């Protein structure tokens, strides 16, 4: 079983479903309210565990009731939570309004995630024991950079999802093996809207890049080896929340198991395609048996 460490965020998503979002000063009556465990870090951890990885989560929850539920959600997905601190105060929350057109607006309050400013005792050992470290940018850059450096020192592959997108410090890029932006993040990082050109530019900083292209699949590029594309299976998407996190979690497992890149990309696209056919974030992520059953030979495009 491939071992995966995740350093990142845990959020409780507080989702209000409304016919139409309220304007400033307006009050509207909504249809439904749900609380759903989320956060990019936790989402990737759950995706990797469902995909068949042995996963440990490093991060923080608060002393509120959300903290208890967020930890329990990870545990029930099979994720080890010894590295998930409980810090005084509120857990991270995302306040999401979804209207009848599917449009949304979101307020994220980092809460406990903001207190993840560096590595603590045993975190380096947790990272060193992994084959792969998954990182995103919903906890402070100081912790992300320290974790990447620890991974590099121990020969652990680092996979970085640059979201929410922001300028990346050179120390972080220098310790990143695989960067996985979506097409919007790739454009924001490089100023280039063409994914091939963006990938080419990003390869100046990191050895491997995957740009996710939504329903179009993914573009993979490695220094000195050209680019390949893998199409996403054609499915009817009902909710693409956490599609990227599902893809990254599954990809980390497939690569950690030593599967060839093209095969790993196709398998991870299969996992993400299953997730978009169901509502929700973590609850929409398919188990390994389902990913295997759905995966068929990739429809590849040449470079
Ligand atoms: P993010 O969720 O981070 O914005 P994308 O929208 O690029 O990222 O989606 C990530 C991956 O999820 C895609 O590369 C693709 O494999 C899969 N995916 C997303 N939307 C669809 C869709 N409509 N049909 C099939 N697969 C999809």
């Amino acid at each position: 079983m491939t071992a995966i460490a995740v350093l990142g965020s845990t959020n409780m998503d507080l989702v209000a479903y409304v016919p139409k979002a309220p304007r400033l000063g307006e009050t509207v009556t909504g249809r439904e309210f749900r609380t759903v465990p989320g956060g990019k870090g936790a989402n990737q951890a759950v995706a990797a565990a469902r995909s068949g990885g042995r996963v440990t989560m490093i991060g923080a929850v608060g002393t509120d009731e959300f903290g208890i539920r967020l930890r329990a959600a990870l545990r029930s997905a099979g994720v080890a939570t010894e590295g998930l601190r409980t810090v005084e105060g509120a857990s991270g929350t995302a306040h999401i309004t979804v209207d009848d057109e599917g449009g949304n607006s979101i307020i994220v309050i980092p809460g406990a995630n903001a207190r993840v400013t560096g590595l603590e005792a045993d975190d380096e050992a947790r990272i060193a024991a992994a084959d792969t470290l998954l990182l995103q940018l919903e906890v402070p850059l100081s912790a992300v950079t320290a974790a990447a450096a620890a991974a590099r020192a121990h020969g652990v592959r680092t996979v970085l999802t640059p979201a929410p997108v922001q300028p990346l410090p050179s120390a972080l890029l220098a310790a990143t093996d695989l960067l996985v932006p979506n097409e919007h993040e790739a454009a924001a990082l490089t100023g280039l809207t063409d994914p091939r050109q963006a990938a080419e530019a990003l390869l100046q900083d990191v050895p491997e890049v995957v740009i996710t292209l939504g329903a179009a699949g993914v573009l993979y590029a490695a220094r000195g080896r050209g680019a390949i594309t893998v199409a996403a299976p054609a499915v009817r998407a009902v909710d693409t929340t956490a599609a990227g996190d599902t893809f990254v979690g599954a990809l980390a497992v497939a690569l950690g198991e030593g599967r060839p890149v093209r095969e790993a990309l196709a398998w991870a696209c299969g996992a993400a395609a299953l997730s978009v056919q169901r509502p929700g974030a973590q609850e929409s992520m398919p188990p390994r048996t389902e990913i295997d059953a759905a995966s068929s030979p990739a429809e590849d495009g040449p470079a």
Side-chain angles (χ1 to χ4, degrees):
M1 213 182 220
T2 188
I4 292 174
V6 182
L7 176 125
S9 60
T10 51
N11 284 330
M12 190 59 84
D13 292 351
L14 312 174
V15 193
Y17 296 88
V18 293
K20 198 169 172 302
R23 293 186 309 270
L24 193 64
E26 189 187 12
T27 301
V28 299
T29 300
R31 300 189 189 287
E32 194 195 341
F33 175 66
R34 292 182 65 196
T35 54
V36 214
K40 292 193 82 65
N43 287 349
Q44 292 190 359
V46 170
R50 294 255 171 87
S51 303
R54 190 174 74 240
V55 184
T56 187
M57 175 84 198
I58 303 168
V61 295
T63 43
D64 51 6
E65 282 180 34
F66 292 152
I68 295 167
R69 269 186 65 194
L70 289 168
R71 183 183 297 279
L74 286 165
R75 281 218 187 115
S76 72
V79 175
T81 59
E82 291 78 17
L84 190 67
R85 268 72 81 175
T86 300
V87 300
E88 189 62 38
S91 296
T93 48
H95 305 250
I96 306 174
T97 306
V98 181
D99 68 25
D100 278 356
E101 247 99 84
N104 63 35
S105 53
I106 306 179
I107 300 168
V108 173
I109 301 180
N113 296 305
R115 310 269 292 278
V116 182
T117 52
L119 299 185
E120 293 194 3
D122 300 334
D123 285 348
E124 184 161 347
R126 285 186 185 100
I127 291 168
D131 301 307
T132 308
L133 172 68
L134 299 182
L135 298 168
Q136 324 75 32
L137 302 176
E138 290 185 342
V139 296
L141 271 177
S142 53
V144 177
T145 304
R152 176 56 54 88
H154 293 280
V156 176
R157 181 206 291 261
T158 301
V159 180
L160 172 63
T161 302
V165 70
Q166 55 198 278
L168 302 173
S170 52
L172 175 55
L173 285 169
T176 297
D177 296 299
L178 171 61
L179 187 69
V180 190
N182 65 23
E183 52 196 320
H184 311 290
E185 291 150 4
L189 288 171
T190 61
L192 299 165
T193 49
D194 176 60
R196 275 170 204 282
Q197 289 179 4
E200 202 53 46
L202 291 167
L203 287 182
Q204 292 178 2
D205 294 319
V206 295
E208 289 179 283
V209 176
V210 174
I211 300 181
T212 65
L213 307 168
V218 296
L219 172 77
Y220 166 86
R223 253 182 221 156
R225 276 191 280 150
I228 60 174
T229 56
V230 173
V235 298
R236 211 181 81 77
V238 300
D239 181 354
T240 60
T241 310
D245 295 331
T246 305
F247 173 82
V248 168
L251 181 67
V253 169
L255 292 175
E257 290 173 353
R259 294 162 73 173
V261 170
R262 192 185 282 274
E263 184 186 316
L265 292 167
W267 194 75
C269 282
L274 286 167
S275 80
V276 304
Q277 294 174 72
R278 306 169 187 149
Q282 292 174 12
E283 79 244 73
S284 73
M285 293 169 177
R288 184 182 181 107
T289 46
E290 225 177 290
I291 310 172
D292 282 339
S295 74
S296 52
E299 285 174 45
D300 309 318

